[in-house]
Amino acid sequence: MTHPMPIDALPSMRELNVSNHLLDDREALAAAWERDGYWFFRDVLDQGAVARLRKVYMSVLDEHRVARADDPEADYTGEDLTGFPFRMEPLVAREPWREFVGEAPIHAFFQRVLGDDPFWIPTVEYRATPPAQTRERSRFDYLHQDGFYNKGIPFQICWIPLSTIDEQVGGLALAEGLHKGPYLHDVNQPPLFPIPAGSVPDDAWRRATYQPGDLLMMHINTPHSGLANYSGRFRLSMDIRVMPASGHTPIIGHLTDLTSTSVSVLGEDGRSGTFRVDTDTYCRGIDGRKVPQAEIPMRMQAGDPAIVAFEGGRATLIRPPH
């Protein structure tokens, strides 16, 4: 006779491989990346910089009276969550990530691990996830591969915990080694193309108990998901995208023209271009949904901020920065 898994339990997951000992060994770092599809570093990000970023989060939670600004645990006060900015719009508007990555020790670490100056993609997720109000059988929030929704930008995902995130708080889980295969997303289920249940073998899942100062960097095609928060406190993290500055970087700036067959963009760094748009161009909104080609001019227009990735004369991706 089998017994159902407790509703607050996670399937058995092995610990992430720690990569600290590989720092400054480019060959070993590359081999681990190719094998696992991620690097996990313990206590490498400056604690002062992490604390200053966390303080910005806590000011928003305090403003909404859902946690006290000075509470190191970010315990949930029980205040009604109606009106709480679950997408942390105040932080999206303020863009504290820019101050964070501009801090000298943060910049220096990413130079070290990339072997190049970092080029930041301003697609940032600020997570201040309250305790789950209901408990589902699955703890997985939304299994996905970033590369499917961001064609043509070979960035690395940087997931940064801002507080202790244990099994109850949830955090992030990834599927080790599955970055080398085809996309798992079902192309027959537009517009989000979800990954079907059972696509990831149980023994591929990895996670850890995360601490401030830790950094998880993932391959763009590594399947991963947030885990529902079954604790009594907020789960605080930020994820951001980076790539070597000498790589094939997208143009980040404002659209100067957009039709269903072409897009023109002027970048913040002075680059510009006009690129062909076709059915394979992934024009997406903030929710990841693909916009049909004919509807693209109805969703974005000249003057809008945008990220445009391209291969030759064709646009592979058009998306808002946020």
Short mmCIF file of all heavy atoms in Angstrom, two decimals, residues 184-205:
data_model
loop_
_atom_site.label_atom_id
_atom_site.label_comp_id
_atom_site.label_asym_id
_atom_site.label_seq_id
_atom_site.Cartn_x
_atom_site.Cartn_y
_atom_site.Cartn_z
N LEU A 184 11.54 21.65 -23.68
CA LEU A 184 10.47 20.79 -23.17
C LEU A 184 9.10 21.42 -23.35
O LEU A 184 8.08 20.75 -23.16
CB LEU A 184 10.71 20.49 -21.68
CG LEU A 184 12.06 19.82 -21.35
CD1 LEU A 184 12.18 19.63 -19.85
CD2 LEU A 184 12.20 18.48 -22.07
N HIS A 185 9.05 22.70 -23.70
CA HIS A 185 7.77 23.40 -23.85
C HIS A 185 6.95 22.81 -25.00
O HIS A 185 7.50 22.45 -26.04
CB HIS A 185 8.01 24.89 -24.09
CG HIS A 185 8.54 25.61 -22.90
ND1 HIS A 185 7.73 26.29 -22.02
CD2 HIS A 185 9.80 25.72 -22.42
CE1 HIS A 185 8.47 26.82 -21.06
NE2 HIS A 185 9.73 26.49 -21.28
N ASP A 186 5.65 22.72 -24.77
CA ASP A 186 4.74 22.15 -25.78
C ASP A 186 4.36 23.24 -26.78
O ASP A 186 3.56 24.14 -26.47
CB ASP A 186 3.50 21.60 -25.08
CG ASP A 186 2.58 20.85 -26.04
OD1 ASP A 186 2.78 20.95 -27.27
OD2 ASP A 186 1.64 20.18 -25.56
N VAL A 187 4.91 23.17 -27.99
CA VAL A 187 4.66 24.21 -28.99
C VAL A 187 3.23 24.16 -29.53
O VAL A 187 2.81 25.07 -30.26
CB VAL A 187 5.66 24.09 -30.17
CG1 VAL A 187 7.08 24.31 -29.68
CG2 VAL A 187 5.53 22.73 -30.86
N ASN A 188 2.48 23.15 -29.14
CA ASN A 188 1.09 23.05 -29.59
C ASN A 188 0.11 23.66 -28.60
O ASN A 188 -1.10 23.53 -28.77
CB ASN A 188 0.73 21.58 -29.83
CG ASN A 188 1.54 20.97 -30.96
OD1 ASN A 188 1.65 21.55 -32.04
ND2 ASN A 188 2.12 19.80 -30.72
N GLN A 189 0.64 24.34 -27.57
CA GLN A 189 -0.24 24.96 -26.58
C GLN A 189 0.08 26.45 -26.42
O GLN A 189 0.59 26.88 -25.38
CB GLN A 189 -0.12 24.25 -25.23
CG GLN A 189 -0.68 22.85 -25.22
CD GLN A 189 -0.89 22.35 -23.79
OE1 GLN A 189 -1.57 22.98 -22.98
NE2 GLN A 189 -0.28 21.22 -23.48
N PRO A 190 -0.17 27.25 -27.47
CA PRO A 190 0.05 28.69 -27.34
C PRO A 190 -1.00 29.29 -26.39
O PRO A 190 -2.02 28.66 -26.14
CB PRO A 190 -0.15 29.19 -28.77
CG PRO A 190 -1.09 28.20 -29.39
CD PRO A 190 -0.73 26.87 -28.78
N PRO A 191 -0.76 30.48 -25.83
CA PRO A 191 0.40 31.33 -26.08
C PRO A 191 1.55 31.16 -25.08
O PRO A 191 2.60 31.73 -25.26
CB PRO A 191 -0.19 32.74 -25.96
CG PRO A 191 -1.25 32.58 -24.91
CD PRO A 191 -1.83 31.20 -25.10
N LEU A 192 1.37 30.35 -24.01
CA LEU A 192 2.44 30.19 -23.02
C LEU A 192 3.28 28.94 -23.26
O LEU A 192 4.39 28.84 -22.74
CB LEU A 192 1.85 30.15 -21.60
CG LEU A 192 1.57 31.51 -20.97
CD1 LEU A 192 0.94 31.35 -19.59
CD2 LEU A 192 2.85 32.34 -20.85
N PHE A 193 2.75 27.97 -24.01
CA PHE A 193 3.50 26.76 -24.35
C PHE A 193 4.07 26.07 -23.10
O PHE A 193 5.28 25.91 -22.97
CB PHE A 193 4.63 27.09 -25.33
CG PHE A 193 4.21 27.93 -26.50
CD1 PHE A 193 4.42 29.30 -26.52
CD2 PHE A 193 3.59 27.33 -27.59
CE1 PHE A 193 4.03 30.07 -27.60
CE2 PHE A 193 3.20 28.11 -28.70
CZ PHE A 193 3.42 29.47 -28.69
N PRO A 194 3.23 25.67 -22.15
CA PRO A 194 3.74 25.11 -20.89
C PRO A 194 4.49 23.79 -21.10
O PRO A 194 4.30 23.09 -22.10
CB PRO A 194 2.45 24.87 -20.08
CG PRO A 194 1.38 24.71 -21.12
CD PRO A 194 1.76 25.64 -22.23
N ILE A 195 5.35 23.48 -20.14
CA ILE A 195 6.04 22.19 -20.13
C ILE A 195 5.09 21.15 -19.55
O ILE A 195 4.58 21.32 -18.44
CB ILE A 195 7.33 22.26 -19.31
CG1 ILE A 195 8.34 23.20 -19.99
CG2 ILE A 195 7.95 20.88 -19.11
CD1 ILE A 195 9.63 23.39 -19.24
N PRO A 196 4.83 20.07 -20.26
CA PRO A 196 3.88 19.06 -19.77
C PRO A 196 4.38 18.40 -18.47
O PRO A 196 5.59 18.24 -18.26
CB PRO A 196 3.81 18.04 -20.91
CG PRO A 196 4.26 18.79 -22.13
CD PRO A 196 5.29 19.77 -21.64
N ALA A 197 3.44 18.02 -17.63
CA ALA A 197 3.77 17.32 -16.40
C ALA A 197 4.52 16.03 -16.73
O ALA A 197 4.22 15.35 -17.71
CB ALA A 197 2.49 17.00 -15.62
N GLY A 198 5.51 15.72 -15.91
CA GLY A 198 6.27 14.49 -16.10
C GLY A 198 7.42 14.60 -17.08
O GLY A 198 8.11 13.61 -17.34
N SER A 199 7.65 15.79 -17.63
CA SER A 199 8.73 15.96 -18.60
C SER A 199 10.12 15.90 -17.97
O SER A 199 11.10 15.59 -18.64
CB SER A 199 8.58 17.29 -19.35
OG SER A 199 7.38 17.33 -20.10
N VAL A 200 10.20 16.23 -16.68
CA VAL A 200 11.48 16.22 -15.98
C VAL A 200 11.56 14.99 -15.09
O VAL A 200 10.69 14.78 -14.23
CB VAL A 200 11.66 17.49 -15.13
CG1 VAL A 200 12.93 17.41 -14.30
CG2 VAL A 200 11.66 18.73 -16.01
N PRO A 201 12.58 14.14 -15.26
CA PRO A 201 12.72 12.98 -14.38
C PRO A 201 12.89 13.41 -12.93
O PRO A 201 13.56 14.41 -12.64
CB PRO A 201 14.00 12.29 -14.90
CG PRO A 201 14.21 12.83 -16.28
CD PRO A 201 13.64 14.22 -16.28
N ASP A 202 12.30 12.67 -12.01
CA ASP A 202 12.37 13.04 -10.59
C ASP A 202 13.81 13.16 -10.10
O ASP A 202 14.12 14.01 -9.26
CB ASP A 202 11.63 12.00 -9.74
CG ASP A 202 10.12 12.09 -9.91
OD1 ASP A 202 9.64 13.12 -10.44
OD2 ASP A 202 9.43 11.13 -9.51
N ASP A 203 14.70 12.31 -10.62
CA ASP A 203 16.07 12.31 -10.10
C ASP A 203 16.92 13.46 -10.65
O ASP A 203 18.09 13.59 -10.29
CB ASP A 203 16.76 10.97 -10.34
CG ASP A 203 16.89 10.63 -11.83
OD1 ASP A 203 16.48 11.45 -12.68
OD2 ASP A 203 17.42 9.54 -12.13
N ALA A 204 16.35 14.30 -11.52
CA ALA A 204 17.10 15.45 -12.06
C ALA A 204 16.99 16.69 -11.17
O ALA A 204 17.82 17.60 -11.29
CB ALA A 204 16.61 15.79 -13.47
N TRP A 205 16.02 16.72 -10.26
CA TRP A 205 15.77 17.93 -9.49
C TRP A 205 16.86 18.17 -8.44
O TRP A 205 17.31 17.24 -7.77
CB TRP A 205 14.41 17.87 -8.81
CG TRP A 205 13.27 18.04 -9.76
CD1 TRP A 205 12.37 17.10 -10.15
CD2 TRP A 205 12.92 19.23 -10.45
NE1 TRP A 205 11.48 17.62 -11.05
CE2 TRP A 205 11.79 18.93 -11.26
CE3 TRP A 205 13.45 20.52 -10.48
CZ2 TRP A 205 11.20 19.90 -12.07
CZ3 TRP A 205 12.86 21.47 -11.29
CH2 TRP A 205 11.74 21.16 -12.07
#
